[in-house]
């Protein structure tokens, strides 16, 4: 039994699933059965506030990312993040698993 897929405003995904035994009648899925997992932040669309949730990214670096994106266009890979002034290889490695690039 599947209750659907929800993509929230914060880019988290909720999937409702219940495995039924053979012959078992489906029952409503309770809220506490919802499993959520982390999702990656799209650096091409994320707001300053959303970017600040990344490891090591404060308000100044978050604003620099948005400013760079506005001035130069979309990022084509996560490695392009190092083109933003103030973001180097160490910062990139700290956030690499937390970000994605979707055009």
């Amino acid at each position: 039994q599947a209750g659907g897929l929800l993509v929230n405003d914060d880019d988290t995904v909720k999937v409702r699933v219940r495995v039924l035994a053979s012959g078992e009648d489906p029952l409503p899925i309770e809220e506490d059965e919802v499993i959520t997992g982390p999702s990656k932040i799209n650096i091409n669309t994320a707001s300053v506030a959303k970017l600040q949730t990344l490891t090591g990214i404060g308000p100044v670096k978050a604003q620099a990312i948005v400013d760079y994106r506005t001035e130069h266009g979309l990022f084509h890979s996560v490695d392009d993040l190092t083109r933003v002034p103030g973001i180097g290889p160490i910062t990139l490695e700290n956030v690499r698993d937390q970000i994605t690039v979707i055009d």
Side-chain angles (χ1 to χ4, degrees):
Q1 175 184 14
L5 174 69
L6 302 170
V7 179
N8 300 313
D9 292 338
D10 64 356
D11 294 329
T12 59
V13 177
K14 291 184 179 181
V15 180
R16 293 178 176 207
V17 178
R18 175 180 292 153
V19 178
L20 301 175
S22 179
E24 183 180 359
D25 289 329
L27 300 171
I29 297 174
E30 301 298 324
E31 186 64 29
D32 62 349
E33 295 176 300
V34 175
I35 300 171
T36 61
S39 63
K40 294 186 177 189
I41 294 174
N42 182 359
I43 59 174
N44 278 333
T45 59
S47 66
V48 170
K50 187 69 173 178
L51 291 166
Q52 288 181 68
T53 66
L54 297 168
T55 303
I57 303 293
V60 173
K61 286 184 182 179
Q63 186 62 56
I65 293 168
V66 172
D67 291 346
Y68 183 90
R69 184 177 71 205
T70 302
E71 187 175 328
H72 299 282
L74 299 178
F75 297 99
H76 299 290
S77 76
V78 295
D79 293 322
D80 289 345
L81 196 58
T82 59
R83 295 181 181 177
V84 176
I87 298 184
I90 293 173
T91 301
L92 175 61
E93 288 311 309
N94 288 337
V95 300
R96 183 179 292 281
D97 293 339
Q98 301 169 38
I99 62 174
T100 189
V101 173
I102 302 171
D103 295 341

